[in-house]
Amino acid sequence: MTATVEAPIEAPEIDYDPFAMESLEDPHRFDGEAREVAPVVHVKKYGYYAITRFAEIQKALRDWRTFSSTDRPFYAPSPFRPRTLILEDPPEHTASKNAVLSVFSKENLAAFEVHFRAEAERILDELLADGPVEVDGFQDIAARYVLKVFPDVLGLPEEGRELLLKFGDGVFNTFGPPSDFQAAKLARASEAQEWVENNTAREVQAEGGIGWQLYAMADEGKISEHTAQQILKSIFAAGFDTTTASIASMMRAFGDNPGEWEKLVADPGLVENAWEEAIRYYPASRYGGRWANKETVLGGVRIPEGAKILTMWLGAGRDPRQYTNPDEFHVDRDLKGGHLSFGFGIHTCAGNLVARLEARTLLRAMVERIATIELVGEPRQAVNYQAFGHEYVPVRLTPKA
Ligand code: HEM
């Protein structure tokens, strides 16, 4: 008996506009609705395809030959966006990726950890010195900590560090259709361009530092000098906004779920899992992109050759096929199946180890010191074409007795 193979269906067309302001303000709702239509949908307004579900995104990203990274939706060259590994397939991608991964080696991370821990403790001890305190989880904790610790280990000057958040915000806002909203964001980010250019130049890199190590790889012929600077720019673009937003979002998740903070304080062994759950629940990156370099079928849906594709990881993080009660935040959730908040496959976030180290170190120091986290006002979500996060999270922190 021969098994019948079902013919693929055409991707359902949806009217949903992922870049309309209402979607940017509530992406979980809109990306969730698209996810429930089909594993792959056709976003009529832009002619793009969107992979909406966890299993299908993973499947596509395992197959980098078909789902190439050399082009993506909204990837017209932009003065803001570094052109490097995110736009490469092997073999070019392998060389660039190895270069980045080597600067986040075990030895380098071990050295970073000592510094991250000391700074996390210093910031928290200062904030909590006089007992319960009301702070903005974004500005007073997330941004203050991230803009201190990571630029320090990169050897960046103190002055101008806040520009890194503007730069990241600008880079992520290039991933969407031209609009007044985008123009305003890019104008704001342009303030950061000169600083980024100056601080990624070869001459200013401190000997032995991350930038210096990248340029040394260029000298050894492992990557080109241009790639070294582009990689450094990618670290500037992707390494601050994301981590800051994730930590602020995590503060909100705890503010909304005080019982989960209690659980974590009672069992600090859950710190690593709690952070992974926080970025599943509130991923800093809403979607990635690829293009299909041949016709293919995914989840029973036909994707034509040449299709430009959005991989919707924020929606996939709440896919009920993958997670039980996905809209709930639980520090002890079973996450053995992973999440897609750092992407998946060969383009998995190159900075994930450093981002994880930063966040876990801070969270551990918080758990040691803070008895309760309460929301004391309305948090404000940031609005960005591609990034997701919170820009204001008013909380009261009560130190342990
Ligand atoms: C919580 C923080 C972070 C999140 C949620 C995040 C998320 C992501 C995601 C989803 C991707 C995959 C993009 C794709 O396949 O289209 C990615 C790639 C990347 N990320 Fe991150 N990221 C974070 C922090 C960082 C940090 C700290 C750095 C640098 C130190 C960094 C550097 C990069 C680079 C260079 C890539 C491109 C990797 C490649 O193409 O192979 N990211 N990130």
Side-chain angles (χ1 to χ4, degrees):
M1 207 171 78
T2 47
T4 48
V5 179
E6 277 188 36
I9 61 161
E10 292 299 313
E13 279 194 351
I14 54 168
D15 289 326
Y16 150 72
D17 177 356
F19 304 100
M21 199 42 74
E22 56 177 3
S23 311
L24 304 183
E25 285 171 352
D26 194 359
H28 279 106
R29 175 178 160 206
F30 285 91
D31 296 359
E33 284 175 7
R35 182 190 65 226
E36 297 313 313
V37 172
V40 183
V41 294
H42 188 218
V43 185
K44 200 161 71 186
K45 180 161 183 189
Y46 304 103
Y48 295 148
Y49 287 69
I51 311 177
T52 61
R53 296 183 186 165
F54 187 99
E56 283 75 13
I57 293 179
Q58 264 195 341
K59 192 166 178 216
L61 297 188
R62 278 197 182 99
D63 179 8
W64 57 263
R65 286 184 177 79
T66 305
F67 294 93
S68 166
S69 285
T70 55
D71 198 5
R72 293 165 172 231
F74 304 113
Y75 246 78
S78 151
F80 289 98
R81 212 163 37 218
R83 283 191 76 82
T84 173
L85 63 171
I86 200 102
L87 274 179
E88 292 169 342
D89 288 341
E92 292 79 10
H93 176 261
T94 316
S96 313
K97 189 72 175 252
N98 287 343
V100 196
L101 294 180
S102 73
V103 298
F104 298 131
S105 64
K106 255 194 181 152
E107 301 73 56
N108 280 352
L109 290 174
F112 295 176
E113 186 171 5
V114 176
H115 182 60
F116 292 179
R117 173 137 197 107
E119 288 300 329
E121 293 180 345
R122 191 182 59 78
I123 291 171
L124 292 171
D125 287 342
E126 204 181 296
L127 287 176
L128 297 166
D130 299 324
V133 61
E134 289 187 13
V135 298
D136 171 9
F138 175 85
Q139 198 59 48
D140 301 324
I141 296 192
R144 183 172 168 194
Y145 170 70
V146 171
L147 290 179
K148 173 70 188 144
V149 297
F150 196 38
D152 277 358
V153 300
L154 286 168
L156 294 172
E158 294 278 345
E159 208 186 320
R161 289 180 176 192
E162 68 290 345
L163 292 169
L164 285 161
L165 297 183
K166 287 188 181 168
F167 181 60
D169 184 57
V171 170
F172 290 114
N173 268 309
T174 60
F175 303 128
S179 65
D180 291 346
F181 162 77
Q182 186 186 59
K185 290 288 201 167
L186 297 189
R188 180 173 168 269
S190 63
E191 292 168 36
Q193 255 177 318
E194 194 184 335
W195 190 91
V196 169
E197 208 58 49
N198 291 342
N199 284 293
T200 52
R202 182 178 193 125
E203 317 75 75
V204 303
Q205 303 309 314
E207 191 172 337
I210 301 293
W212 184 91
Q213 291 177 37
L214 285 165
Y215 282 109
M217 280 183 250
D219 292 340
E220 291 164 25
K222 291 183 178 155
I223 50 174
S224 70
E225 180 151 344
H226 174 75
T227 299
Q229 188 178 22
Q230 295 297 308
I231 290 179
L232 202 46
K233 272 193 196 166
S234 302
I235 294 175
F236 281 30
F240 295 93
D241 212 34
T242 46
T243 327
T244 306
S246 305
I247 292 172
S249 293
M250 176 184 77
M251 301 286 299
R252 184 198 173 149
F254 281 119
D256 279 335
N257 297 276
E260 294 303 306
W261 185 256
E262 266 174 42
K263 235 192 250 175
L264 186 57
V265 170
D267 183 0
L270 288 171
V271 159
E272 287 190 12
N273 203 68
W275 158 251
E276 299 302 322
E277 168 69 349
I279 63 168
R280 173 200 70 85
Y281 190 71
Y282 282 142
S285 169
R286 181 178 168 210
Y287 73 87
R290 301 290 187 272
W291 72 282
N293 69 10
K294 63 172 196 246
E295 178 170 315
T296 187
V297 176
L298 188 69
V301 183
R302 189 182 77 86
I303 299 179
E305 178 177 352
K308 288 197 186 176
I309 300 163
L310 303 163
T311 53
M312 308 297 290
W313 18 75
L314 176 136
R318 303 277 183 104
D319 186 344
R321 295 154 198 82
Q322 180 68 15
Y323 305 105
T324 312
N325 300 325
D327 293 323
E328 295 176 10
F329 171 70
H330 292 296
V331 292
D332 52 357
R333 177 182 290 282
D334 178 354
L335 284 170
K336 279 199 264 310
H339 59 68
L340 301 176
S341 300
F342 282 119
F344 186 75
I346 63 167
H347 287 275
T348 294
C349 177
N352 81 84
L353 293 179
V354 76
R356 284 181 155 122
L357 183 65
E358 271 176 68
R360 288 170 182 168
T361 306
L362 175 68
L363 186 55
R364 211 164 277 128
M366 286 170 59
V367 169
E368 284 163 7
R369 288 165 174 74
I370 298 171
T372 58
I373 299 179
E374 298 154 85
L375 273 184
V376 289
E378 197 49 45
R380 203 167 56 239
Q381 192 194 298
V383 177
N384 185 292
Y385 270 157
Q386 195 272 352
F388 175 86
H390 288 82
E391 61 184 16
Y392 177 61
V393 186
V395 281
R396 179 183 299 111
L397 309 177
T398 303
K400 287 184 172 175

